[in-house]
Amino acid sequence: MGVIAQPDVVLLGRRVAADQAFVWLAAGTIVSIALASYLEEFVLKALPNYDFFFTMAFFELAVFGVVSHVTIRLRAATELASLGGDGTVASPGAASGPPPRWSDVKWWRLEPRSAPLRLYAIGAACLALYASLGKLAYKYVNYVTGTVLKSIKLVPVMIVSVAWLGRSYPPHDYAAAGFLTTSAVMFGLGEAESNPEADYALGFALSFVCLGLTAAQSNIADACMRDHGAGVDENMLYVNGFGAGFVLAVLVTSGEIFEAFRYFARFPGAFALLFVRSVVFYVGAWLYTLLMKHFGAVAAVAVTTARKAVTVMLSFALFRSDKPLTAKYVAATALFFGAIACEYHKSEVRRRREQREERARGEERAMGAKGGG
């Protein structure tokens, strides 16, 4: 992936060689999100009579919101401690002092907000619907089909760009879109063949609605961070916090929360699984953010591609009851891996182009230095 030539990076306060940091971040991202996906499918498919999809979405949003708030408060307390606790800049030779104690952190306080609440409320509504309806879709389609459907968000973006904006794409993008679309169709036919009584069409419809919701939420998040200067933690705090509040209102209004409490009383392990799954998923998202920060979008895309492949393989290996290896499923899986190969090829093309551009800039600097000498 071309990371060895990069300078050392700092992870968790320690300086680590770039190649070693990439391996740890990539492996951590893949393992964490694959484990979260396994736990999610285990809850949905293996727990007896589990039918609380909005509850699962609430757990995920609440954990993300709470951890984001904790992260912001700890960072603010650490920065205050580094300034001597009174806002004055310490002298360069002065000791930085011990890290802040948890009892000294002002947990109730919110940092000044950069983006307007209106944008966060709209983004939170999109995220709440996406998380809830995305979980509900798994009631009607199996986990692999749902994963593939979530991956085809490239297709509507390309259609709009080509038909409306007149934009063109390289051949591997068209190939990936074709593979993904055909794979989704084949998975749908496989669903109809293996489980004709299931309302898989509703599962597909919910998944397509989620594609629009995640596109809208991503654009709103981009507006908050790019146009208003909001940080990632602030965006995650407000969007996930408000989103958890929206889902909680639905849970109380529909009565699902009370049924869920009765279910957790009968199966206490289900509560623990939902909590652990949400925490592990957050860890994976956090590691992915660090990966993108230190090694760029190209490396992150390659890791995401590998993560999708691992998720699909684990699902087929560990939850085979609703995914019989029929000809349609085999063909659909092969097409999906074809799309993954196109994504990897695209990331490699971008990586090599960036390397050539960086090499050319280095030669220009060297020529300029030689000419100036």
Side-chain angles (χ1 to χ4, degrees):
M1 291 304 302
V3 300
I4 297 179
Q6 295 187 15
D8 293 349
V9 298
V10 178
L11 294 179
L12 300 176
R14 300 181 61 182
R15 186 169 296 277
V16 183
D19 55 343
Q20 184 179 359
F22 177 80
V23 170
W24 281 108
L25 290 175
T29 300
I30 293 171
V31 171
S32 298
I33 298 182
L35 178 57
S37 299
Y38 165 77
L39 292 173
E40 182 176 43
E41 188 168 9
F42 182 87
V43 169
L44 296 174
K45 302 299 182 182
L47 292 186
N49 302 316
Y50 185 87
D51 196 34
F52 308 106
F53 304 96
F54 282 69
T55 302
M56 177 178 282
F58 170 74
F59 267 81
E60 181 178 306
L61 296 172
V63 166
F64 272 61
V66 169
V67 176
S68 297
H69 177 67
V70 170
T71 301
I72 292 173
R73 297 313 316 143
L74 287 176
R75 182 185 299 118
T78 302
E79 291 175 353
L80 184 61
S82 67
L83 295 175
D86 55 1
T88 60
V89 179
S91 60
S96 59
R101 295 176 300 179
W102 281 66
S103 59
D104 296 333
V105 180
K106 299 177 180 179
W107 299 110
W108 63 90
R109 182 178 176 182
L110 290 175
E111 292 297 304
R113 181 172 31 84
S114 300
L117 279 177
R118 175 182 56 85
L119 278 180
Y120 282 135
I122 297 173
C126 292
L127 183 61
L129 284 170
Y130 169 77
S132 302
L133 298 181
K135 303 290 188 290
L136 183 60
Y138 289 130
K139 183 177 182 179
Y140 306 103
V141 297
N142 65 52
Y143 201 82
V144 170
T145 303
T147 299
V148 173
L149 290 173
K150 288 180 180 179
S151 300
I152 66 173
K153 55 187 175 183
L154 164 71
V155 178
V157 171
M158 288 183 62
I159 292 175
V160 172
S161 297
V162 172
W164 186 19
L165 303 177
R167 181 180 176 183
S168 61
Y169 287 87
H172 47 255
D173 276 343
Y174 290 110
F179 281 137
L180 283 173
T181 303
T182 311
S183 175
V185 171
M186 293 300 293
F187 271 116
L189 295 174
E191 292 269 0
E193 181 181 73
S194 61
N195 192 9
E197 297 180 357
D199 193 359
Y200 65 91
L202 178 57
F204 270 64
L206 290 172
S207 298
F208 285 130
V209 169
C210 287
L211 289 177
L213 290 169
T214 188
Q217 195 274 324
S218 297
N219 285 325
I220 293 170
D222 184 68
C224 290
M225 291 187 286
R226 183 169 298 183
D227 298 339
H228 298 279
V232 174
D233 287 331
E234 177 187 311
N235 182 74
M236 291 183 66
L237 168 63
Y238 283 96
V239 171
N240 286 278
F242 285 170
F246 293 155
V247 176
L248 181 60
V250 173
L251 289 174
V252 173
T253 303
S254 66
E256 179 180 318
I257 190 171
F258 307 110
E259 297 178 12
F261 278 139
R262 288 192 289 270
Y263 185 89
F264 294 146
R266 291 174 54 205
F267 303 100
F271 183 91
L273 282 173
L274 287 180
F275 178 76
V276 171
R277 181 259 165 193
S278 299
V279 172
V280 172
F281 187 40
Y282 180 89
V283 171
W286 176 66
L287 292 173
Y288 179 80
T289 303
L290 289 179
L291 181 73
M292 182 172 290
K293 173 184 177 181
H294 291 295
F295 300 102
V298 176
V301 167
V303 172
T304 300
T305 301
R307 192 268 305 167
K308 291 177 184 178
V310 172
T311 299
V312 169
M313 289 187 293
L314 281 178
S315 183
F316 269 110
L318 301 176
F319 300 96
R320 299 185 59 180
S321 60
D322 61 343
K323 295 180 286 292
L325 287 179
T326 63
K328 290 184 177 63
Y329 274 127
V330 172
T333 304
L335 289 165
F336 182 63
F337 277 95
I340 288 177
C342 290
E343 287 187 17
Y344 181 78
H345 173 70
K346 177 180 178 179
S347 68
E348 279 294 293
V349 170
R350 290 178 59 187
R351 180 182 67 83
R352 292 169 184 169
R353 182 174 66 247
E354 290 178 359
Q355 283 184 336
R356 288 195 298 269
E357 292 173 352
E358 179 62 29
R359 190 180 302 114
R361 286 193 294 267
E363 292 175 353
E364 289 178 1
R365 288 193 295 266
M367 292 293 293
K370 184 182 297 184

